Every structure is written in structure tokens, then in C-alpha cells.
Amino acid sequence: MGKIAVVLGSKSDFPVVKNCVATLKNFGAEYVVRVISAHRTADEARNFAADARENGIDVIICAAGKAAHLGGFMAAYTTLPIIGLPVKTDMMGGMDSLLSMVQMPSGVPVACVGVNGAENAALYALEIEGITDPKMASRMALYRDAMRDKIAEDDKALQDELYAK
């Protein structure tokens, strides 16, 4: 199994990203977390993306708010999957971040989860890992089964509460 990189545009994004990291940890994924800015440390961002494959990274999650160019910037320097994680901002509630990530030009794709969707970013990266790692694919299937069972339990409990005789 390769590593999943979680790259934050700013340390201030970590309160959102910590849910992503916790999810990766809970699934036993190998990961690395870095703070690298597309604007303030552009050379570092370019080098990180360009060298990611040879450094054992399979997927890069890029979390950014405001001028959320990190994912697109890194996508220009690698063919690895990039998952954009837009971080909510005060200015537009994260819509600015979201649009910066989903409006990529043809040929330079960045997948994107919802604003502050840290857990989904991690789960998507884990699903990508599961393509080549049967153990991760199995963990993901068990996770989905547990979600299904929880909803069935919740439904039964609600039905019992509403229609108890």
C-alpha cells in the first residue's frame, strides 16, 4: 500500500483536516501530512507534487481555503489523483474555495469533496487505495456494511417509537 499525502495550504486549515487524518489513521492507512502553500512556497509545492510518486505517494489530498489553488497547482506537476478539500472561509462560506477546485481546465483534473468534507476526502483516497490493496478494499466494504446496519437500526428504533402499540 502506498501513502496518502494530506497537504494543507495553511496550518489554520488543520481543525478541518484533523477529521481526515483521524479517518486515515482509523483505517490503518500510511499517510503524511504537510503544510505547503501554492503561493508562499511554490517551489516546495511543485517539488512535492513532482516527486510524490517516487516518494511512494499514491493519492494527494489538498486542503485549502480562500485562494484555493493548491490542488490545481499540484495537479499541474503530477498525474497522481488529487482530491480537493475546500475549507470554509468567512468571506463566502467556502464557496470560493469550492469553485477554485472544481473549475479546473480540461486535462488537469482535481476531484473535489464538499466544503469541510474531510472525512469524505479520506474515504475517497482510501477507496482509490483499495483498487490495488485487497485489505483496504475489504476494510472499506466492512465500513459500508456497518453504515448500512446502523441506518437499519435507526429506522427500526424510529418505527418502534412512532408506531409502538
Side-chain angles (χ1 to χ4, degrees):
M1 170 170 50
K3 287 186 275 195
I4 297 169
V6 182
V7 182
L8 294 71
S10 171
K11 187 178 176 193
S12 65
D13 298 330
F14 190 71
V16 170
V17 172
K18 68 183 176 185
N19 292 327
C20 176
V21 174
T23 301
L24 295 174
K25 185 175 184 177
N26 288 340
F27 276 87
E30 189 175 346
Y31 60 90
V32 60
V33 181
R34 297 284 311 275
V35 176
I36 304 173
S37 171
H39 303 102
R40 294 168 289 209
T41 58
D43 290 340
E44 178 69 17
R46 179 191 66 235
N47 293 339
F48 185 89
D51 297 339
R53 188 181 307 274
E54 76 180 45
N55 288 328
I57 294 170
D58 290 341
V59 183
I60 303 173
I61 298 170
C62 293
K66 296 186 180 174
H69 300 122
L70 183 59
F73 185 93
M74 288 198 166
Y77 294 101
T78 186
T79 57
L80 292 174
I82 303 286
I83 301 169
L85 170 53
V87 175
K88 184 178 179 181
T89 61
D90 293 334
M91 185 184 337
M92 296 178 67
M95 190 60 117
D96 51 336
S97 307
L98 176 69
L99 293 174
S100 292
M101 293 180 190
V102 298
Q103 297 298 323
M104 291 299 298
S106 294
V108 189
V110 173
C112 191
V113 297
V115 175
N116 285 5
E119 184 178 4
N120 274 349
L123 292 171
Y124 188 43
L126 294 166
E127 287 176 347
I128 292 170
E129 286 293 311
I131 293 169
T132 57
D133 181 346
K135 288 180 184 177
M136 187 57 69
S138 178
R139 287 183 202 132
M140 294 303 298
L142 290 172
Y143 173 78
R144 293 282 182 101
D145 290 347
M147 281 195 314
R148 182 197 62 232
D149 294 346
K150 172 75 168 97
I151 294 297
E153 289 171 16
D154 289 350
D155 179 53
K156 182 179 180 334
L158 183 61
Q159 298 307 312
D160 289 348
E161 180 182 326
L162 292 173
Y163 305 110
K165 295 180 182 180

